[in-house]
């Protein structure tokens, strides 16, 4: 399975929802409501994460939630560059989450590149963000507990 990933509505904009979507051999989108983001960010900050690292960790966790159902079939994923210059950090955080369930998952199956505004994945993420299409899953703060954030 080969996929592209895009985000609509930045994680750090806590007054609006965030959507992450993938498209390619399949399509799927998750929605993180603004109120849930605010609670998740408070919990992340309570774990001593500060500054931009809070948003990078949150983004990596959201990517994991987006991809977790297809990791056993995922051969290649191209993630849109959302936090330029931090791709390596995000990839490491994402891989650390993946390796808990799939210890042999190849790091080279994940890459970052611009996906473009005309791509199917961008259109999917934007349609869910605007409410023109429904999300496949709506995440809650509890989805980020356990292996992600300790209570």
């Amino acid at each position: 399975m080969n996929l592209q990933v895009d985000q609509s509505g930045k994680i750090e904009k806590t007054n609006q929802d965030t959507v992450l979507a993938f498209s390619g051999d399949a399509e799927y989108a998750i929605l993180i409501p603004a109120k849930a983001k605010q609670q998740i960010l408070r919990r992340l900050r309570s774990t001593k994460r500060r500054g931009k690292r809070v948003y990078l960790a949150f983004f990596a966790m959201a990517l994991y939630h987006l991809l977790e159902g297809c990791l056993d079939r995922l051969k290649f994923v191209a993630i849109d560059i959302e936090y330029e210059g931090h791709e390596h950090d995000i990839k490491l955080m994402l891989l650390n989450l993946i390796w808990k369930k799939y210890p042999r998952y190849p790091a080279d199956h994940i890459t970052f590149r611009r996906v473009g505004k005309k791509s199917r994945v961008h259109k999917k993420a934007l349609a869910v963000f605007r409410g023109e299409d429904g999300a496949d899953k709506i995440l809650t703060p509890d989805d980020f507990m356990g292996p992600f954030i300790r209570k």
Side-chain angles (χ1 to χ4, degrees), residues 38-51:
Q38 293 164 12
Q39 292 175 12
I40 294 161
L41 287 167
R42 271 195 300 277
R43 289 178 184 174
L44 279 169
R45 287 185 183 109
S46 74
T47 65
K48 308 289 189 256
R49 289 181 179 97
R50 296 286 181 257

Side-chain angles (χ1 to χ4, degrees), residues 74-79 87-88 91-92 94-96 98-99 102-112:
L74 188 59
K75 299 292 183 216
F76 179 78
V77 60
I79 302 167
E87 296 83 9
H88 179 74
K91 184 174 180 174
L92 283 177
L94 176 58
L95 283 168
N96 281 326
I98 291 171
W99 287 337
Y102 299 97
R104 296 178 193 261
Y105 190 84
D108 63 351
H109 285 197
I110 300 170
T111 190
F112 289 80

Side-chain angles (χ1 to χ4, degrees), residues 53-132:
R53 296 225 26 108
V54 169
Y55 303 114
L56 301 179
F58 193 159
F59 185 59
M61 289 180 238
L63 285 169
Y64 179 79
H65 276 293
L66 177 69
L67 300 171
E68 71 180 327
C70 62
L71 285 168
D72 58 338
R73 306 179 308 281
L74 188 59
K75 299 292 183 216
F76 179 78
V77 60
I79 302 167
D80 190 36
I81 297 171
E82 302 290 346
Y83 299 96
E84 195 158 0
H86 296 280
E87 296 83 9
H88 179 74
D89 293 333
I90 294 166
K91 184 174 180 174
L92 283 177
M93 289 179 211
L94 176 58
L95 283 168
N96 281 326
L97 295 169
I98 291 171
W99 287 337
K100 289 178 182 179
K101 188 171 181 180
Y102 299 97
R104 296 178 193 261
Y105 190 84
D108 63 351
H109 285 197
I110 300 170
T111 190
F112 289 80
R113 68 171 179 231
R114 302 252 181 242
V115 298
K117 301 234 183 264
K118 294 183 179 182
S119 67
R120 273 182 32 207
V121 70
H122 177 76
K123 291 174 184 172
K124 172 75 174 173
L126 192 57
V128 174
F129 180 75
R130 290 179 174 164
E132 299 163 0

